[in-house]
Amino acid sequence: MGLKNDLLLRAANGQPTERTPVWLMRQAGRILPEYRAIRARLSGFKELVETPVLAAEVTLQPVDILDVDAAIIFSDILVVPEAMGLPYEMIEQKGPWFERTIKSASDVEQLKVSSPEEDLNYVLEAIRITKRELNNRVPLIGFAGAPWTIFCYMVEGQGSKTFSKARKMLVTEPELSHRLLEKITESTIKYLIAQISSGVDLVQIFDSWAGILGPKQYSEFGMKYVKLICDQIENVPVTVFSKGAYYARKELALLNCETIGMDWNMDISETRSIVGPNKTLQGNLDPCILYGDFASIKLETEEMLSRFKGGRHIANLGHGVYADIKPDKVKCFIDTVKEFN
Ligand code: CP3
């Protein structure tokens, strides 16, 4: 393959590395003024996502400007519900909004299993352009939302702190919930395989709302489908980030994946002892640490790195970087990881 910097792939595969690789969830977009400049010329977020040359350009920005060890394709998890028949809008200062949501059996029947080549070709094209322009500098990460997290947006129609409409459906309509989760899973598997064929070197599954379910429900409605996805992905390492699902770490350890994402609520040595030595752990600095001064960012980052030392690790935050974090603070985090010995 000939990647010049393959630290991330080696760390994911459990091979020796000279130092810990580092990248940030949500590094593309959000924080860089260079991103906002491009974004300001457009009608909105969706136009950027759906214009492959521009999506590729903002994917490369953090590699060029922050010198991270990986690129993550600029897109969103919500492109999948749209490809299945539920279009989304991204409302300025508010977030995602769906005009139609899933309420009944006939709504689920009407959804299609999306075909990535037809419905999501703009993402595949952005991946091909990005790979060309990266010219093997660093690996490219592809991604999708986990079925449970996508289910949350399809049923709720917007963000929520509790997603109680989505959780209500699990209780009142368990069979319908499973039918919907199956359709999302099938679409997601095809989508990730198409991303791999288009050139991504690694994939991450974001289960951002795992933590709002209890252990029994997450096992039945969440993990079951994440496992189906992991079992169908071949040729590239897989990362599963089930945010908040500290109770599911034993089950996560059994997945057919190389890397497990950790948020900052999870204790590092406890997680290592639950998961065992044969998985890479990714994370887990509290994103709010990057609001602190340079000295404290350095201190906290070094403390995190020492706790992970001796085991397989990819440095990252415990969730996406916040939009108002200053790029020089992000750079301090990245440089601290690179200089750590
Ligand atoms: O990591 C990256 O930088 C790649 C791009 C990426 C975006 N969204 C771009 C984006 C990725 C990996 C995502 C994933 C995503 N999207 C998740 C899972 C990760 C997580 O943070 O938990 C979720 C839950 C979403 C849904 C979503 N998209 C929400 C709730 C919002 C609004 C709030 C916000 O700013 O995140 C988005 C919009 C969005 N997606 C933006 C970006 C850069 C900001 C939009 C803008 O430029 O106006």
Side-chain angles (χ1 to χ4, degrees):
M1 204 164 21
L3 282 169
K4 283 169 204 122
N5 172 349
D6 66 347
L7 285 168
L8 183 85
L9 286 181
R10 277 189 278 143
N13 286 318
Q15 294 158 351
T17 55
E18 307 77 76
R19 63 165 174 83
T20 305
V22 56
W23 69 282
L24 286 86
M25 291 187 277
R26 315 298 292 270
Q27 67 187 18
R30 278 192 164 174
I31 48 165
L32 293 173
E34 292 83 353
Y35 165 79
R36 298 216 187 88
I38 293 181
R39 180 78 169 63
R41 306 202 303 257
L42 304 172
S43 60
F45 174 74
K46 270 188 100 167
E47 189 183 349
L48 186 45
V49 165
E50 291 166 9
T51 310
V53 212
L54 295 178
E57 187 177 341
V58 297
T59 300
L60 294 167
Q61 284 175 343
V63 177
D64 295 332
I65 300 164
L66 302 170
D67 207 14
V68 280
D69 293 313
I72 178 162
I73 191 68
F74 184 82
S75 184
D76 201 89
I77 63 168
L78 303 177
V79 301
V80 168
E82 178 161 276
M84 293 175 69
L86 289 190
Y88 72 94
E89 280 175 49
M90 197 60 79
I91 298 171
E92 219 58 46
Q93 317 294 337
K94 275 198 76 182
W97 191 75
F98 290 80
E99 168 139 26
R100 282 181 291 118
T101 57
I102 301 296
K103 296 186 200 72
S104 66
S106 79
D107 293 339
V108 175
E109 282 344 299
Q110 278 168 43
L111 286 175
K112 65 169 184 171
V113 171
S114 53
S115 152
E117 283 77 16
E118 281 163 41
D119 308 311
L120 292 162
N121 191 52
Y122 58 90
V123 183
L124 306 181
E125 186 56 21
I127 289 170
R128 289 187 283 263
I129 298 170
T130 305
K131 277 300 280 184
R132 219 178 307 138
E133 298 193 350
L134 269 176
N135 195 19
N136 284 326
R137 274 178 288 165
V138 293
L140 177 62
I141 304 170
F143 70 88
W148 161 246
T149 289
I150 297 299
F151 177 106
C152 283
Y153 287 102
M154 286 180 131
V155 172
E156 205 86 28
Q158 57 189 317
S160 161
K161 283 205 167 67
T162 56
F163 283 98
S164 44
K165 278 187 200 156
R167 288 190 297 122
K168 175 182 172 189
M169 191 180 276
L170 299 185
V171 173
T172 59
E173 305 257 26
E175 276 167 39
L176 182 62
S177 299
H178 278 299
R179 275 220 301 290
L180 176 52
L181 288 162
E182 279 160 19
K183 267 192 164 169
I184 300 169
T185 302
E186 213 182 317
S187 302
T188 304
I189 290 169
K190 289 168 80 179
Y191 180 43
L192 287 173
I193 290 175
Q195 291 186 43
I196 295 163
S197 307
S198 303
V200 302
D201 302 287
L202 187 141
V203 295
Q204 175 156 331
I205 301 164
F206 284 94
D207 214 349
S208 305
W209 301 110
I212 62 174
L213 295 182
K216 193 166 131 242
Q217 273 190 327
Y218 188 61
S219 178
E220 180 180 352
F221 296 99
M223 192 66 87
K224 177 181 174 190
Y225 297 99
V226 171
K227 176 172 165 30
L228 288 174
I229 296 171
C230 289
D231 288 344
Q232 294 297 316
I233 302 297
E234 287 170 339
N235 306 321
V236 305
V238 177
T239 300
V240 175
F241 177 49
S242 293
K243 187 172 182 298
Y246 58 89
Y247 53 78
R249 284 175 290 181
K250 247 190 213 146
E251 267 184 281
L252 284 163
L254 299 174
L255 287 174
N256 203 347
C257 72
E258 282 64 29
T259 302
I260 296 171
M262 279 173 66
D263 62 54
W264 64 95
N265 294 313
M266 297 177 186
D267 181 77
I268 295 167
S269 48
E270 183 191 52
T271 303
R272 178 51 79 194
S273 73
I274 293 171
V275 165
N278 297 325
K279 295 265 190 242
T280 303
L281 297 175
Q282 175 173 276
N284 75 336
L285 196 75
D286 177 351
C288 282
I289 297 292
L290 303 190
Y291 288 117
D293 58 23
F294 293 109
S296 64
I297 294 171
K298 194 159 184 287
L299 197 77
E300 296 283 346
T301 304
E302 284 172 346
E303 190 182 316
M304 171 193 78
L305 290 164
S306 329
R307 294 223 170 123
F308 276 109
K309 217 173 160 77
R312 294 165 54 172
H313 180 219
I314 295 166
N316 207 310
L317 303 179
H319 199 192
V321 62
Y322 298 140
D324 58 348
I325 299 276
K326 301 280 172 283
D328 56 352
K329 299 292 178 72
V330 175
K331 193 81 177 90
C332 175
F333 168 67
I334 294 165
D335 292 342
T336 304
V337 176
K338 290 186 172 179
E339 286 155 19
F340 186 77
N341 234 310

